[in-house]
Amino acid sequence: MALIDLRSDTCSRPTRAMREAMAWADVGDDVYGDDPTVKELEAETAALLGKQDAVYMPTGTMTNQVGIRAHTEPGDAVLFDQNAHVYLLEGGAPAAYSGVLPRLLPGVRGIFTATDVIAAVGQPHPFFPATVPAPVTLLCVENTHNAGGGAIWPLDRLREVTCTGRDLGLSLHLDGARLWHATAATGVELAEYAAPFDTVSVCFSKALGAPMGSCLAGPAELITRARRFKQQLGGGFRQAGIVAAGALHALREHRPRLPEAHANARRFAEAVSQLDGIDLDPAEVETNIVRFKLTKSTAAAFADEAHHLGLHVLPSGPDGIRAVFYLDISPADTDRAIIIIAKTLATL
C-alpha cells in the first residue's frame, strides 16, 4: 500500500486543476515587475490581509528573513518566542543575513505575554547609557505556531502583546505561514489577525497545497524595501507566473477545505492518545498539527519502524513525534495511520 506521509503539509501534490492553471498561466518577467500572474497573486494576498502591497518569494524562510531585514539594522535585537520557526528552523538566518541578536521569550506552545515582552525590552535609566545594550527594534509572532502543535493565538492575547510592542516602539512581524488554519478554525478573518502587524508572511505550500511560494505583505514603502532584499537573496524569478498560478489556485480553491485536515488531525489525536506509550492531550490539537511524546521508545526508533510499516512521521527531539494533516490525507489514510501507530508501539 502507498506510504502515508505525515511529515509535513508541504508534502502535498498539486491537483490536476492546479496543474492545468499552472500550464496555461499568463507570464512575464518578475524581476522587471511585469509578470501579470505574480502581480495578481500579490494584489489578492495583500487585500486578504488588509495590507497595501505584497511581494511574492520562493519560500517562507525568505519572506520571514526579508521581513526581519527590512525592519532592522545589523546589531539590533529581535524578540522571538523560544521555539519560533524563524529562530530555530531557518538555518540561523537572522544572525547570518540580518546580523541581529535574538532575545527569546518564554512562550507556552509559542504564546507569550505582554509582561514577557516588557521584561525582554527592559526599563531604561539615565544612569545606564542607552548605547550599551543592543536596541530591541522588532517583535516577531508566529500564528499558528508550528512547535506549539499548531496552536492559535487567542485574539485578545495577540492584541495585548502587539499593543505593548507598539507602545515600546517596536516594529511587528507575523510569521503567518499557517495563518489560513487559524482563520479556518476560529472564523476570525485573516485581515483581523494581520491588522496589528507591520508585515505578515504567509505560505502557499503549507496547508494550501501549492508546490512553492510565500508572500510578504505590508505597507507599500516597506514592501518596496523588501523587494530589494528579495533580489539580494536571489529571489528574483523570471516567468514566475507558472508557479504563482498554483498559489493563486490554492488561495482561491483550497482554503475552504482546511477544516477537513483539522477533523482528520483531531480523530487521529483522540485515537492515538488512548494508546499505551504515547503522551498526548487531544485538547491541544487546534488545527492540522499533532505532536506527541513517546514514553517507551525513542523518536528515532519509532519513526524508523513506522516508516517500515507504511507511515512517514517526523522525529522531534529525543522522544517527540510530529504528524501533520493536509489536503492529500483522506479519512481512510487517517484510520490506517492510527493502526500503524498501534502496530509500531507493539513492535518496539
Side-chain angles (χ1 to χ4, degrees):
M1 299 181 72
L3 183 72
I4 302 169
D5 195 344
L6 300 183
R7 288 173 298 167
S8 176
D9 42 9
T10 60
C11 296
S12 61
R13 303 296 178 91
T15 62
R16 180 180 297 275
M18 181 183 289
R19 290 176 186 270
E20 289 177 356
M22 294 169 67
W24 297 106
D26 193 8
V27 299
D29 191 318
D30 177 59
V31 172
Y32 295 124
D34 62 10
D35 188 299
T37 307
V38 169
K39 292 169 74 172
E40 187 177 1
L41 173 64
E42 291 173 341
E44 192 161 321
T45 302
L48 283 170
L49 296 170
K51 302 302 182 186
Q52 289 181 332
D53 198 6
V55 54
Y56 182 52
M57 302 188 206
T59 70
T61 293
M62 187 177 287
T63 48
N64 275 332
Q65 297 307 324
V66 165
I68 290 171
R69 180 66 187 90
H71 285 297
T72 62
E73 295 298 336
D76 287 357
V78 179
L79 302 184
F80 302 108
D81 170 67
Q82 60 188 341
N83 290 310
H85 189 282
V86 69
Y87 167 67
L88 283 181
L89 299 171
E90 298 188 5
Y97 177 56
S98 294
V100 296
L101 176 69
R103 287 201 182 164
L104 303 181
L105 302 172
V108 177
R109 299 182 65 225
I111 299 170
F112 45 84
T113 68
T115 301
D116 295 329
V117 174
I118 293 168
V121 172
Q123 299 296 318
H125 192 279
F127 291 176
F128 191 75
T131 55
V132 172
V136 182
T137 59
L138 177 64
L139 169 64
C140 294
V141 171
E142 183 179 339
N143 190 27
T144 65
H145 198 282
N146 176 9
I152 303 168
W153 272 76
L155 200 54
D156 56 349
R157 175 70 66 84
L158 187 70
R159 288 170 175 160
E160 180 185 13
V161 162
T162 53
C163 283
T164 298
R166 192 71 71 194
D167 290 344
L168 292 169
L170 306 182
S171 297
L172 302 169
H173 173 72
L174 174 62
D175 176 2
R178 294 182 176 90
L179 191 62
W180 327 107
H181 276 293
T183 290
T186 65
V188 175
E189 293 295 333
L190 293 165
E192 190 168 1
Y193 278 128
F197 296 92
D198 299 298
T199 52
V200 182
S201 168
V202 288
C203 188
F204 307 111
S205 64
K206 295 186 181 76
L208 295 185
M212 63 178 291
S214 293
C215 269
L216 179 71
E221 184 176 357
L222 194 58
I223 296 304
T224 296
R225 176 172 164 83
R227 291 183 189 278
R228 174 195 173 201
F229 298 127
K230 170 191 172 181
Q231 189 67 23
Q232 279 186 347
L233 284 172
F237 295 96
R238 296 303 176 179
Q239 285 68 49
I242 293 172
V243 286
L248 259 178
H249 180 87
L251 196 61
R252 293 168 177 171
E253 303 297 330
H254 291 174
R255 284 191 300 141
R257 292 187 55 199
L258 295 180
E260 298 173 22
H262 298 183
N264 286 330
R266 281 193 298 271
R267 186 162 80 255
F268 176 86
E270 288 165 0
V272 302
S273 69
Q274 303 301 312
L275 299 173
D276 185 36
I278 287 181
D279 180 11
L280 167 63
D281 180 0
E284 292 186 350
V285 178
E286 300 177 52
T287 52
N288 67 320
I289 300 176
V290 181
R291 288 184 178 270
F292 56 88
K293 295 288 186 181
L294 301 165
T295 61
K296 296 184 178 181
S297 66
T298 66
F302 182 94
D304 288 345
E305 181 60 23
H307 185 265
H308 174 71
L309 294 174
L311 175 65
H312 221 351
V313 291
L314 198 68
S316 180
D319 60 355
I321 294 292
R322 186 183 82 160
V324 187
F325 292 79
Y326 50 99
L327 301 178
D328 295 25
I329 303 301
S330 68
D333 293 329
T334 303
D335 292 339
R336 189 157 70 91
I338 293 166
I339 293 169
I340 292 173
I341 293 286
K343 287 183 177 178
T344 301
L345 290 169
T347 301
L348 293 175

